[in-house]
Amino acid sequence: MTIELPDVKIGSQPLTSEQARIELAIGMYAGRRATMGQAAKIAGISYTAFMHELGKHGVCLNYSMEDALQDIETVRRRLGK
């Protein structure tokens, strides 16, 4: 899906279409409607850049205990233990 957004000024702050995509992606990630990878694609930026955007906006990572246990199991499998 493609959404065209014109650059607009909200109050005294300009909002570019790039910034609007990032804001949308952050909202979808924070609302658990998109994974971090999906949200980065929506924002049109790299995974790492999206993580930095989350930090700038004060949004915590959606990382549960189940995620941590899966990551530990993956590392164990790769190390052959």
Side-chain angles (χ1 to χ4, degrees), residues 16-28 39 42-45 50 53-54 56-57:
T16 66
S17 57
E18 179 180 294
Q19 290 167 324
R21 282 194 312 272
I22 291 170
E23 294 292 333
L24 171 64
I26 289 171
M28 292 188 71
I42 291 166
I45 58 178
F50 187 70
E53 288 295 329
L54 290 175
K56 287 195 296 190
H57 286 78

Side-chain angles (χ1 to χ4, degrees), residues 37-53:
Q38 291 167 334
K41 284 183 182 180
I42 291 166
I45 58 178
S46 72
Y47 189 89
T48 304
F50 187 70
M51 288 180 69
H52 287 287
E53 288 295 329

